[in-house]
Amino acid sequence: MTNFLQAYSWVNMRFLFEGMWVTVQVAVISVILSFIIGSVLGVLRYVKIPVVSTIVGLIIDIIRNLPLLLIIFFTYFALPKINIHFSVMGSTIFALTIFESAMLAEIVRGGIVAVPKGQLEGGRSNGLSFYQTLMYILLPQAYKKMIPPIVSQFISLIKDTSLATIIMLPEMTYRAQIIYAQKPAQIIPMFLMLALLYFILNYALSKIANIFDRRMAV
């Protein structure tokens, strides 16, 4: 019982909360970038531009079938060999963005395909170009359908930030390891606190998404 109480001292908790802030920063930046890039890639796959769409599809399929940890390693350890240097946080954001963009691209493409073809035909019959129909009719409807899988992917992204502990990103998991490395008896309370903090982040995201989903449904 004493170890549990000592594990949750103000010093340890402040140390973990600082790591939580790093996790949030990395997740927010990666979410924004991957949403933008994933949307563009998903649209490129949908419109089937000769050669371009094929190349984009091949790149997406390759990335989606690679372990995220391998992409993190490649970004942090391999890219400097060709004079491309990132900080630890930069490497994490870059790797997460690349991986999540590929995942979101397929979600976006699938969401657009799920919109009834009559919507495209209706837009074209009203004088809109293909790309105007795509931007103003198809995508808004597709994004409504995509909210659940996109949120699920973003929740996975938040959890995946913990993989960056391997390159010593000072996020929650890495800081928890430092704490229980000094006092091994505190490993269980640290894992319990990590579970609670990750749950809070992901549960809050899911609730925000539910509110957003209901408002879009009106």
Side-chain angles (χ1 to χ4, degrees):
M1 188 65 180
T2 302
N3 288 325
F4 269 78
L5 296 177
Q6 290 177 346
Y8 301 139
S9 67
W10 170 241
V11 174
N12 286 351
M13 294 309 299
R14 184 177 65 181
F15 192 61
L16 275 182
F17 287 145
E18 289 172 353
M20 186 178 184
W21 174 237
V22 173
T23 297
V24 170
Q25 285 181 294
V26 169
V28 168
I29 295 172
S30 300
V31 161
I32 293 172
L33 292 177
S34 61
F35 181 75
I36 295 171
I37 297 172
S39 294
V40 172
L41 295 177
V43 169
L44 285 176
R45 288 212 69 180
Y46 173 76
V47 298
K48 293 182 173 57
I49 302 173
V51 182
V52 174
S53 294
T54 302
I55 294 174
V56 169
L58 177 61
I59 293 172
I60 289 172
D61 288 339
I62 291 173
I63 293 173
R64 289 176 66 238
N65 288 283
L66 293 177
L68 175 56
L69 190 58
L70 176 62
I71 299 175
I72 293 174
F73 278 154
F74 181 83
T75 303
Y76 189 69
F77 294 111
L79 289 184
K81 301 299 182 182
I82 55 174
N83 292 319
I84 300 176
H85 299 273
F86 291 103
S87 64
V88 172
M89 181 176 286
S91 296
T92 305
I93 292 172
F94 182 84
L96 285 172
T97 299
I98 293 298
F99 185 76
E100 295 300 328
S101 293
M103 297 297 184
L104 288 173
E106 281 302 292
I107 294 174
V108 171
R109 184 191 66 81
I112 298 173
V113 170
V115 177
K117 292 184 178 180
Q119 298 294 313
L120 174 60
E121 295 168 356
R124 296 304 303 276
S125 65
N126 281 301
L128 297 178
S129 68
F130 173 79
Y131 290 102
Q132 287 175 325
T133 304
L134 177 65
M135 291 299 297
Y136 300 121
I137 297 179
L138 299 186
L139 276 176
Q141 295 182 64
Y143 279 127
K144 289 182 181 180
K145 298 176 182 292
M146 289 186 284
I147 289 177
I150 286 177
V151 171
S152 177
Q153 198 61 46
F154 287 160
I155 287 174
S156 294
L157 185 151
I158 293 174
K159 292 183 288 186
D160 287 343
T161 58
S162 61
L163 292 174
T165 188
I166 201 71
I167 58 172
M168 295 182 291
L169 177 72
E171 44 76 58
M172 288 191 293
T173 303
Y174 181 75
R175 288 173 183 257
Q177 288 177 339
I178 292 176
I179 292 172
Y180 66 69
Q182 296 173 340
K183 296 182 178 180
Q186 296 182 357
I187 186 170
I188 292 178
M190 278 297 103
F191 281 152
L192 291 175
M193 181 53 65
L194 277 178
L196 177 61
L197 293 178
Y198 278 114
F199 171 78
I200 290 172
L201 286 176
N202 292 321
Y203 186 73
L205 177 60
S206 64
K207 283 300 181 182
I208 292 171
N210 288 339
I211 294 171
F212 187 64
D213 192 13
R214 286 197 298 268
R215 289 186 176 179
M216 289 189 68
V218 175

